Amino acid sequence: MEKCTVVFNPVKKSIIVKKGANLLEVARKAGIFIDAPCGGKGNCGKCRVKVVSGEHQMEFTPLLKEEELKNGIRLACLTFIEGDMVVEIPHVDAVEGIFVEDIKPGDEKSERIEKACKMLTEQGFKKDSGAFSAYLKLPSPTLDDNVADLERLKRELRKKYGINNPVCSLNVMKTIPAKLREGDFRVRGLILKDKYSCEVVGLDGFYTDGIYGICADIGTTTVAVNLVDLTTGEIIAFASSANLQIQYGGDVISRIIYSGEEEGLDRLKKSIVDGTINPLINKLILKNNVKRENIILCVFAGNTTMSHLFLGIDPANIRLEPYIPVFKECPELKAKDVGINVNPEAKVILLPNVASYVGGDIVSGILASGIWAQDENILFLDLGTNGEIVLGNRDYLLSCACSAGPAFEGGEISCGMRAAPGAIESIKIDRETFEPSINVLGDIKPKGICGSGLIDLIAEMFLSGIIDSKGKISREVSSDRIRYDEDLDVMEYVLVRDKDSYDGRDITINEIDIDNLLRAKAAVYSGLSVLLNSAGLTLRDVDKIIIAGGVGSNLHIRNAINIGLLPDVDESKYYYMGNSSLIGAYLCLLFQEARDKAKEISDSMTYIELSTFPFYMEEFIKACFIPHTDLNLFPGVVGLLEKNKRR
Amino acid sequence: MEKCTVVFNPVKKSIIVKKGANLLEVARKAGIFIDAPCGGKGNCGKCRVKVVSGEHQMEFTPLLKEEELKNGIRLACLTFIEGDMVVEIPHVDAVEGIFVEDIKPGDEKSERIEKACKMLTEQGFKKDSGAFSAYLKLPSPTLDDNVADLERLKRELRKKYGINNPVCSLNVMKTIPAKLREGDFRVRGLILKDKYSCEVVGLDGFYTDGIYGICADIGTTTVAVNLVDLTTGEIIAFASSANLQIQYGGDVISRIIYSGEEEGLDRLKKSIVDGTINPLINKLILKNNVKRENIILCVFAGNTTMSHLFLGIDPANIRLEPYIPVFKECPELKAKDVGINVNPEAKVILLPNVASYVGGDIVSGILASGIWAQDENILFLDLGTNGEIVLGNRDYLLSCACSAGPAFEGGEISCGMRAAPGAIESIKIDRETFEPSINVLGDIKPKGICGSGLIDLIAEMFLSGIIDSKGKISREVSSDRIRYDEDLDVMEYVLVRDKDSYDGRDITINEIDIDNLLRAKAAVYSGLSVLLNSAGLTLRDVDKIIIAGGVGSNLHIRNAINIGLLPDVDESKYYYMGNSSLIGAYLCLLFQEARDKAKEISDSMTYIELSTFPFYMEEFIKACFIPHTDLNLFPGVVGLLEKNKRR
């Protein structure tokens, strides 16, 4: 039987298959997700790929144009492999899959949002996005009433809505004569108002309705988007996917370095806007039958580097001492300026940053957390690709960033992955047999391990004696799940055997992975120590700890304490709030006053540069053990270990 | 000797030449102006043309890229004709020539501007364009002063200029990090301020200077542009050329009709912006060594149809009852929105219209005329492609439009042309010999006759008895300049013989031309009568008559009265103010308050629709004679005729 190698770009995954195999099936086998709603019957035309090189055959389809065929575009489901091939996958939705979810009242996501809205309302904020539909019946022009179209429209807006001299872009002006006459001078105006001005961002038929907004968290690893009905405030659906920039580096530093290469900045900008955000929006609007032109308001939150790359602004100085971003607060923009594929005149709000390593996502999270309205001292930890920590209450806000890297989102871990379908999100290991039991996200076989799963895994391996406090795997534990990897010269633990996994390969963790995770958790814990210290506080003064970020909604706080990632305080003090950045972006979408509050937070928050603290490095090294070199800090963990020994 | 026909598009001029002739020389012979600063030596590469079809040879030149050669681009000076050819001329500057003039204090144009400025100043207007250079020395960032670049810039603007939170577009933001660091945190900000907001439209080196503005009159036939130094207010240079839209029709109605054809609107928009205005600006900045990015403010004035086409907005309803334009007042735009090739963030102000047939050019002219500040009743006549008339003073402004057509700019007249080099601008005819004496604009042989020349010609032909009051050429006058055109079955008068003209062809006027001119002058005179009548006034109540527009600066008022175009009142009441629309645009460029005044004029001016006046048609027919059927209205002309008879 003849074998062929197929390489899938841009992820550079390769797979060896037999000649004649179907390309869609091969892609799936390689763990590459290609959307094929028709089930691979060649009917829907969604599984477009680009063949860069290699012999193959494709059945005829009327769905591809001659131009496309010339450019190597094929339907994967109709293509059969005849030799070694290189295939390019067009968008992130095809690379790793877009995860879409309808949001219903009572859902966890919906409840968190509701809670945040309630908090704002209690603080006296008025729910008003500034976006609305103006239903206008204009008198038809006559020789006596020969006012121009635009002035006629403005006259009615003033009369019916009290709006004086609204802004109207050239693009909208161009549509006026046809739109007015199509509907016999009845028209729906899509209006955006704020305290400074008012703009007509579009015209639609008088008998149409629906105005929508987008709010999104632009994470270094994961991008999450909500489609929101601006009339009701209801979240219609949620979608998330990998940030396609991942192909250029896992963390912000490597992206900044890449942005300095030729065309680097342009590629990074395109990856996030055209490659990630626009496909997510497309998916949401297609699935929910929403007209693109009716999306007129967008709020984005991201860290400072993501904010720069989102706008195509050079982030180089973020990385160089004295770490200066180009902007803290970005002026309001339009979708057409940024290239967001909604109504081109839609307002785009990017939440303001604090400093080079504390960005709009943290401002958004703090807004959503309500810390700024509390008397108690509250710690806020965002465990995403970076780790950011905020300490404060209504009187002060201190923040710092720890270079935790992408470990808690599964990055830089051999079998790590984002919290997406196929991710192992929680793990238990039997203390006797060392056999694991796992929970997988979604109804599929496991593909890898996400943040919460990794934390569970380290904790369970530690508590069951598979690893010691330095993270080394014991050679004395008797289990065929523990083995030696000759190539890497490290021990590893097999969590899922090949026959049980999604792609037929073992899911394992080795000592290098564990080391990465320990350094990540040490970065967070030591950052937290320094931050408390610089505020003159101790853990005892902290009344509440909020955990946010991409670590996964099924984070077991106890295990995070057990590995020494989180401080060993009463678990009731902990509160997990999920993607707080996305919640804050939602609040800014729906509450104009929340946008002002975000600015206030960004202005009032003090940023502490950890690297300038002489004892930071010392704290970091002490925290690189499980749970810590100073066991007095972790009495609960000591108790657990003693209980284990007694058994 | 073999002959070849060469057709030049888009003007569709054709010429027969011998095989082997040089294309640049042939073009010049055909009256087509192709810029060739090197004198046709093949060194400068400016004489690019596109060969659509036809055999030819071109000497090798490194100035053309392979891609250009493939697309038929040739240097005219190196190309030799081998057969019938069709050649396309890229821009209007190549079609008819851009006329550029340095403006110096004391020039007629400069004096008119000064007079208008003085008028505004006397009315209490402050000279302040809102544009200025901000010279900023920012403290270099440190770990202690780690404010972001944008905020650092804003901080200094606030400190030094009291500017709070200026707007900064994404394009400018992108340039900030490099611009700040290039000059060691010294930078020149290009600032645009008005009473509502302030914007940083560009950054330049600290040791650079110069900020510039453009003001322009977009005429149906002619476009005129001034390049202005915004620091001093000085006009650096003036440029004018034909409106390239002419290829799609000579008057606004035919352009509106053309805009309804497929791609018509797009072509008209491109003709005026890319084909006419941008080449004029290019010429001005190249000649005066001005950096494009330093042009940050532009004011345009045009009639309502030109305003629509300038923005690419469908003008269809201007032509259809009840004659509704899309907009009266256009919101402020940016150069990048319109496609004007200056600083992309430059503010573009388009002067507001009054109605479908009284546009921003008239508002601009009225602003410049100062009528709105006078007690006397003043008549304002703009004799351009259309004819617009305004009557008023500080208390009222009445306006109307007469469909005079382009006759007074040389349109629809066989040997007519714009007031550009080669135009015959004034004419006398000897009463005995019927031999003419002429004045030609520029130092070249005559090409055609412009508006003022045509008015002279009709008057002189009438007073010397060559034509009668109906405009018919007498067969009894004995002169070999009068002859019969068999093809057209009309009489004609030869003004310039072939050997004396620029292109070797006779310059003549025939009875059809004369008829067109009589209908044009009748439209103006009857419009004026109706306007006065509707205000309850007579000519005796008019204290002053201002003549403006493209009719030419050498208009002989006496001859305009003699043919019955202008009313027969004391010549001292007349004042010729040239391109009043361009003067008004200049005022709006330099005086922010003038922009408000223009809006006020546009809002307060009443438009009279002539076609609804039942006696308008009657007045028109009476005015189709020279000077008029009612000779009591023209006592001065009657006197002249009697004097002639006596002689």
Side-chain angles (χ1 to χ4, degrees):
Chain A
M1 193 180 69
E2 227 175 309
K3 296 272 185 188
C4 311
T5 304
V6 182
V7 180
F8 291 97
N9 282 337
V11 277
K12 297 199 174 70
K13 267 204 181 174
S14 72
I15 185 169
I16 296 167
V17 295
K18 64 174 186 195
K19 190 172 159 176
N22 176 280
L23 188 57
L24 183 61
E25 281 167 27
V26 167
R28 282 173 178 167
K29 219 169 162 183
I32 306 255
F33 181 78
I34 299 180
D35 209 347
C38 75
K41 295 194 182 78
N43 298 335
C44 71
K46 295 267 179 195
C47 62
R48 278 171 166 76
V49 295
K50 181 174 176 171
V51 172
V52 178
S53 64
E55 268 188 70
H56 62 283
Q57 288 196 348
M58 189 181 72
E59 288 176 35
F60 171 76
T61 170
L63 293 171
L64 292 178
K65 292 181 198 133
E66 209 168 297
E67 187 67 18
E68 289 181 302
L69 287 170
K70 260 190 214 158
N71 290 325
I73 304 300
R74 303 287 182 269
L75 293 192
C77 71
L78 299 181
T79 302
F80 298 88
I81 296 158
E82 297 281 343
D84 294 351
M85 287 182 79
V86 177
V87 177
E88 217 175 288
I89 309 298
H91 277 307
V92 65
D93 54 341
V95 174
E96 218 189 313
I98 287 180
F99 175 71
V100 185
E101 197 182 351
D102 292 336
I103 305 282
K104 288 184 205 77
D107 289 353
E108 196 176 33
K109 283 199 180 73
S110 175
E111 279 187 351
R112 284 186 195 133
I113 291 269
E114 262 171 45
K115 201 176 153 184
C117 287
K118 204 173 149 233
M119 179 271 296
L120 277 195
T121 312
E122 281 168 7
Q123 291 297 322
F125 286 60
K126 212 179 81 201
K127 202 169 198 170
D128 177 10
S129 70
F132 65 95
S133 297
Y135 292 90
L136 303 167
K137 294 183 188 180
L138 315 180
S140 294
T142 61
L143 277 173
D144 291 325
D145 175 19
N146 59 358
V147 168
D149 290 344
L150 176 64
E151 277 75 12
R152 186 171 300 269
L153 193 70
K154 288 185 177 178
R155 187 173 70 181
E156 201 65 19
L157 276 169
R158 187 167 52 242
K159 209 168 135 193
K160 189 159 172 199
Y161 294 91
I163 294 168
N164 275 316
N165 207 21
V167 176
C168 191
S169 72
L170 187 51
N171 281 336
V172 173
M173 272 176 69
K174 284 179 182 171
T175 68
I176 291 179
K179 275 288 170 200
L180 289 189
R181 284 160 185 84
E182 259 169 31
D184 203 18
F185 289 87
R186 290 165 183 223
V187 75
R188 177 168 75 107
L190 304 177
I191 313 286
L192 273 182
K193 226 182 142 176
D194 62 25
K195 57 186 160 184
Y196 303 109
S197 68
C198 181
E199 177 160 1
V200 183
V201 293
L203 294 175
D204 202 358
F206 185 80
Y207 297 101
T208 63
D209 59 12
I211 40 163
Y212 301 92
I214 287 286
C215 57
D217 167 49
I218 307 174
T220 310
T221 305
T222 305
V223 176
V225 181
N226 280 331
L227 174 65
V228 179
D229 183 327
L230 291 179
T231 315
T232 62
E234 183 198 347
I235 298 181
I236 297 171
F238 164 90
S240 75
S241 76
N243 181 335
L244 195 66
Q245 290 178 337
I246 283 176
Q247 59 189 309
Y248 305 114
D251 54 30
V252 295
I253 296 298
S254 51
R255 306 251 176 104
I256 294 175
I257 293 171
Y258 185 77
S259 76
E261 291 186 16
E262 211 188 311
E263 286 183 43
L265 181 57
D266 191 47
R267 280 190 195 141
L268 286 164
K269 149 98 192 173
K270 282 194 179 133
S271 288
I272 183 61
V273 175
D274 303 334
T276 310
I277 293 170
N278 282 339
L280 281 165
I281 293 174
N282 288 344
K283 195 94 173 190
L284 284 171
I285 64 178
L286 282 173
K287 193 161 177 267
N288 294 285
N289 221 355
V290 162
K291 237 170 94 184
R292 200 178 292 286
E293 283 67 32
N294 288 339
I295 302 180
I296 62 174
L297 190 56
C298 304
V299 179
F300 292 92
N303 65 48
T304 309
T305 303
M306 288 306 111
S307 300
H308 279 58
L309 297 178
F310 174 67
L311 300 179
I313 290 180
D314 183 7
N317 296 302
I318 289 179
R319 192 173 70 90
L320 307 172
E321 210 185 301
Y323 318 116
I324 307 295
V326 175
F327 64 97
K328 181 169 145 173
E329 190 189 323
C330 170
E332 270 176 19
L333 299 167
K334 289 197 163 194
K336 63 183 176 189
D337 299 327
V338 190
I340 303 295
N341 202 356
V342 295
N343 183 319
E345 307 300 327
K347 190 190 281 188
V348 169
I349 295 168
L350 184 60
L351 289 185
N353 302 306
V354 173
S356 273
Y357 295 107
V358 173
D361 52 346
I362 301 304
V363 168
S364 187
I366 293 300
L367 170 73
S369 73
I371 297 180
W372 45 272
Q374 304 296 314
D375 292 315
E376 304 170 308
N377 287 312
I378 300 177
L379 256 181
F380 173 95
L381 277 85
D382 189 301
L383 297 177
T385 309
N386 231 9
E388 293 97 343
I389 311 174
V390 179
L391 173 66
N393 58 29
R394 68 164 74 239
D395 296 323
Y396 74 101
L397 289 169
L398 286 182
S399 64
C400 73
C402 10
S403 39
F408 295 122
E409 291 193 281
E412 293 173 11
I413 305 298
S414 54
C415 286
M417 70 175 285
R418 298 182 308 108
I424 301 169
E425 50 151 12
S426 74
I427 299 166
K428 274 196 180 305
I429 294 178
D430 189 282
R431 301 288 184 266
E432 309 288 330
T433 62
F434 306 107
E435 284 299 307
S437 55
I438 60 169
N439 269 327
V440 180
L441 273 178
D443 198 17
I444 57 173
K445 284 187 173 185
K447 287 177 171 178
I449 318 169
C450 71
S452 60
L454 288 165
I455 289 166
D456 274 2
L457 185 55
I458 303 293
E460 288 287 307
M461 286 170 84
F462 178 63
L463 292 174
S464 60
I466 296 174
I467 55 174
D468 61 16
S469 67
K470 289 175 189 158
K472 295 296 162 204
I473 295 178
S474 166
R475 288 170 187 248
E476 283 154 30
V477 171
S478 152
S479 164
D480 60 351
R481 287 191 178 262
I482 294 171
R483 63 193 191 194
Y484 174 67
D485 181 329
E486 274 186 34
D487 296 338
L488 297 172
D489 185 26
V490 288
M491 300 291 289
E492 64 179 15
Y493 174 78
V494 182
L495 181 63
V496 178
R497 296 185 202 277
D498 51 6
K499 65 177 172 49
D500 298 322
S501 81
Y502 184 87
D503 60 3
R505 291 185 300 180
D506 291 334
I507 297 177
T508 62
I509 187 162
N510 64 32
E511 289 173 337
I512 300 170
D513 297 330
I514 296 169
D515 203 46
N516 281 335
L517 283 160
L518 293 192
R519 277 189 287 112
K521 75 102 186 169
V524 172
Y525 192 84
S526 53
L528 187 152
S529 305
V530 172
L531 194 67
L532 277 170
N533 184 293
S534 72
L537 298 180
T538 69
L539 274 171
R540 268 187 299 271
D541 302 312
V542 175
D543 302 295
K544 194 173 167 189
I545 302 179
I546 297 173
I547 308 295
V551 68
S553 61
N554 281 299
L555 173 73
H556 295 118
I557 296 291
R558 187 61 246 171
N559 277 339
I561 297 171
N562 288 340
I563 68 167
L565 165 64
L566 297 180
D568 196 352
V569 298
D570 188 351
E571 273 178 64
S572 68
K573 284 191 175 180
Y574 280 97
Y575 170 66
Y576 179 75
M577 78 174 285
N579 190 336
S580 61
S581 163
L582 185 60
I583 299 173
Y586 171 87
L587 296 178
C588 290
L589 188 67
L590 267 286
F591 293 77
Q592 287 182 66
E593 291 163 332
R595 299 168 207 165
D596 297 332
K597 180 46 91 175
K599 280 177 200 167
E600 207 183 299
I601 290 170
S602 136
D603 285 336
S604 63
M605 198 183 284
T606 307
Y607 172 70
I608 309 274
E609 177 59 49
L610 290 181
S611 60
T612 61
F613 275 79
F615 56 95
Y616 171 71
M617 205 56 207
E618 204 177 308
E619 285 293 324
F620 173 75
I621 290 163
K622 285 198 275 182
C624 277
F625 292 80
I626 312 174
H628 199 272
T629 43
D630 184 358
L631 287 177
N632 289 329
L633 293 169
F634 287 86
V637 183
V638 171
L640 267 178
L641 287 172
E642 278 168 4
K643 219 168 84 186
N644 268 358
K645 265 187 205 158
R646 279 197 299 276
R647 207 166 34 186
Chain B
M1 193 180 65
E2 227 177 308
K3 297 270 188 190
C4 311
T5 305
V6 182
V7 179
F8 292 97
N9 283 337
V11 278
K12 297 200 174 73
K13 268 206 179 172
S14 71
I15 184 168
I16 296 167
V17 295
K18 65 175 183 194
K19 190 172 162 177
N22 177 281
L23 187 56
L24 183 61
E25 282 167 28
V26 167
R28 283 173 176 164
K29 217 169 161 181
I32 305 254
F33 181 79
I34 299 180
D35 208 348
C38 77
K41 294 193 182 79
N43 299 334
C44 70
K46 294 269 180 195
C47 63
R48 277 173 168 74
V49 297
K50 182 175 176 171
V51 173
V52 178
S53 63
E55 267 187 71
H56 61 285
Q57 287 196 347
M58 188 181 72
E59 289 174 36
F60 171 76
T61 170
L63 293 171
L64 292 178
K65 294 185 198 129
E66 209 169 299
E67 186 67 16
E68 288 180 301
L69 287 170
K70 258 189 216 161
N71 290 327
I73 304 299
R74 302 286 182 268
L75 293 192
C77 69
L78 300 181
T79 301
F80 299 89
I81 296 158
E82 297 281 347
D84 294 350
M85 286 182 79
V86 177
V87 178
E88 217 174 289
I89 309 299
H91 278 308
V92 65
D93 53 341
V95 174
E96 215 187 316
I98 288 180
F99 175 69
V100 186
E101 196 180 350
D102 292 336
I103 305 284
K104 287 183 208 79
D107 289 353
E108 194 176 36
K109 283 198 179 75
S110 175
E111 279 185 352
R112 281 184 196 136
I113 290 271
E114 261 170 47
K115 200 175 157 188
C117 286
K118 201 169 151 239
M119 178 274 295
L120 276 196
T121 312
E122 282 168 5
Q123 291 298 321
F125 286 59
K126 211 179 81 203
K127 202 170 198 170
D128 177 10
S129 69
F132 65 95
S133 297
Y135 292 91
L136 303 167
K137 294 182 188 181
L138 315 180
S140 294
T142 62
L143 277 173
D144 291 326
D145 177 19
N146 59 0
V147 168
D149 291 344
L150 176 64
E151 277 75 11
R152 188 171 298 271
L153 192 72
K154 287 185 178 177
R155 188 173 67 182
E156 202 64 21
L157 276 169
R158 188 168 50 241
K159 211 169 132 190
K160 190 161 173 197
Y161 294 92
I163 293 167
N164 276 315
N165 207 21
V167 176
C168 191
S169 73
L170 188 51
N171 282 336
V172 174
M173 272 177 71
K174 283 179 182 171
T175 69
I176 291 180
K179 275 287 170 203
L180 288 190
R181 283 159 186 85
E182 259 169 31
D184 202 18
F185 289 88
R186 289 164 185 226
V187 75
R188 177 168 74 108
L190 305 177
I191 313 285
L192 273 182
K193 227 180 139 175
D194 62 25
K195 57 185 161 185
Y196 303 110
S197 67
C198 181
E199 177 160 1
V200 183
V201 293
L203 293 175
D204 202 356
F206 185 81
Y207 297 101
T208 62
D209 59 11
I211 41 165
Y212 301 92
I214 286 287
C215 58
D217 166 49
I218 307 174
T220 309
T221 304
T222 304
V223 176
V225 180
N226 280 330
L227 174 64
V228 179
D229 183 328
L230 291 180
T231 315
T232 62
E234 183 198 346
I235 298 179
I236 297 172
F238 164 89
S240 75
S241 77
N243 181 336
L244 195 65
Q245 290 178 338
I246 283 174
Q247 58 188 308
Y248 305 115
D251 54 30
V252 296
I253 296 300
S254 51
R255 306 252 176 105
I256 295 174
I257 292 170
Y258 185 77
S259 76
E261 290 187 16
E262 211 187 313
E263 287 181 45
L265 180 57
D266 190 46
R267 280 190 195 142
L268 287 165
K269 149 100 192 171
K270 281 192 180 134
S271 290
I272 182 62
V273 174
D274 303 333
T276 311
I277 293 170
N278 282 338
L280 282 164
I281 293 174
N282 288 343
K283 196 94 174 189
L284 284 170
I285 65 177
L286 282 174
K287 193 160 178 265
N288 294 285
N289 220 355
V290 162
K291 238 171 91 185
R292 199 179 292 287
E293 283 67 31
N294 288 339
I295 302 180
I296 63 175
L297 191 56
C298 305
V299 178
F300 293 91
N303 65 46
T304 309
T305 302
M306 288 305 113
S307 300
H308 279 60
L309 297 178
F310 174 67
L311 300 179
I313 290 180
D314 182 8
N317 296 302
I318 289 178
R319 191 174 69 92
L320 307 170
E321 209 186 302
Y323 317 116
I324 305 297
V326 175
F327 64 98
K328 180 169 148 173
E329 188 188 325
C330 170
E332 272 178 15
L333 298 167
K334 290 198 161 194
K336 63 182 176 188
D337 298 328
V338 190
I340 302 297
N341 203 357
V342 295
N343 183 319
E345 306 301 326
K347 192 189 279 189
V348 169
I349 295 168
L350 184 61
L351 289 184
N353 303 306
V354 173
S356 273
Y357 295 107
V358 173
D361 53 346
I362 300 305
V363 168
S364 188
I366 291 302
L367 170 73
S369 74
I371 297 180
W372 45 272
Q374 304 297 316
D375 292 316
E376 303 171 307
N377 287 313
I378 301 176
L379 254 182
F380 173 95
L381 274 86
D382 188 302
L383 297 177
T385 309
N386 231 9
E388 293 96 345
I389 311 173
V390 178
L391 173 66
N393 59 29
R394 66 165 75 242
D395 296 322
Y396 74 101
L397 290 168
L398 284 182
S399 65
C400 72
C402 11
S403 38
F408 294 121
E409 291 192 281
E412 292 173 11
I413 304 298
S414 55
C415 286
M417 69 176 285
R418 297 182 309 109
I424 301 168
E425 50 152 12
S426 74
I427 300 165
K428 277 199 176 305
I429 294 176
D430 189 282
R431 301 287 184 266
E432 310 287 330
T433 62
F434 306 107
E435 283 300 304
S437 54
I438 60 171
N439 269 328
V440 180
L441 272 178
D443 197 18
I444 57 175
K445 284 187 169 182
K447 287 177 172 178
I449 319 168
C450 70
S452 59
L454 287 166
I455 289 166
D456 274 3
L457 184 56
I458 303 293
E460 289 288 305
M461 287 171 82
F462 178 64
L463 293 174
S464 61
I466 297 175
I467 54 174
D468 61 16
S469 67
K470 289 177 191 158
K472 294 294 161 210
I473 294 177
S474 163
R475 291 172 183 247
E476 284 154 28
V477 171
S478 152
S479 162
D480 60 354
R481 289 189 178 263
I482 294 169
R483 62 192 191 194
Y484 174 66
D485 181 331
E486 274 188 32
D487 295 336
L488 297 172
D489 185 26
V490 289
M491 298 292 287
E492 64 181 13
Y493 174 79
V494 181
L495 181 63
V496 178
R497 296 188 203 276
D498 51 6
K499 65 178 171 50
D500 298 322
S501 81
Y502 183 87
D503 60 2
R505 293 184 299 180
D506 291 335
I507 298 178
T508 61
I509 187 163
N510 64 32
E511 289 173 335
I512 299 171
D513 298 328
I514 296 168
D515 202 46
N516 281 333
L517 282 160
L518 293 191
R519 275 188 289 115
K521 75 102 188 169
V524 173
Y525 192 85
S526 53
L528 189 151
S529 306
V530 172
L531 194 67
L532 276 170
N533 183 293
S534 70
L537 299 180
T538 70
L539 275 171
R540 267 186 298 273
D541 302 310
V542 175
D543 302 294
K544 193 173 168 190
I545 302 178
I546 298 173
I547 307 294
V551 68
S553 60
N554 282 298
L555 173 72
H556 295 119
I557 297 290
R558 186 64 245 169
N559 276 339
I561 297 171
N562 287 340
I563 68 167
L565 165 63
L566 298 179
D568 197 351
V569 298
D570 188 350
E571 270 178 68
S572 67
K573 284 192 176 180
Y574 280 96
Y575 170 66
Y576 178 74
M577 79 174 284
N579 191 335
S580 61
S581 163
L582 184 60
I583 299 173
Y586 171 87
L587 295 177
C588 290
L589 189 66
L590 267 286
F591 294 76
Q592 286 182 65
E593 292 163 333
R595 300 168 206 165
D596 298 332
K597 179 48 86 177
K599 279 177 201 168
E600 208 184 298
I601 291 170
S602 135
D603 285 337
S604 63
M605 198 184 282
T606 307
Y607 173 70
I608 309 274
E609 176 59 49
L610 290 180
S611 61
T612 61
F613 275 79
F615 56 95
Y616 171 71
M617 206 56 209
E618 205 178 307
E619 285 294 321
F620 173 75
I621 290 163
K622 283 198 277 179
C624 279
F625 292 82
I626 312 175
H628 198 275
T629 42
D630 184 359
L631 286 176
N632 289 330
L633 292 171
F634 287 85
V637 185
V638 172
L640 268 179
L641 286 172
E642 278 167 2
K643 216 167 89 187
N644 269 354
K645 267 188 203 156
R646 280 198 300 272
R647 207 167 33 187

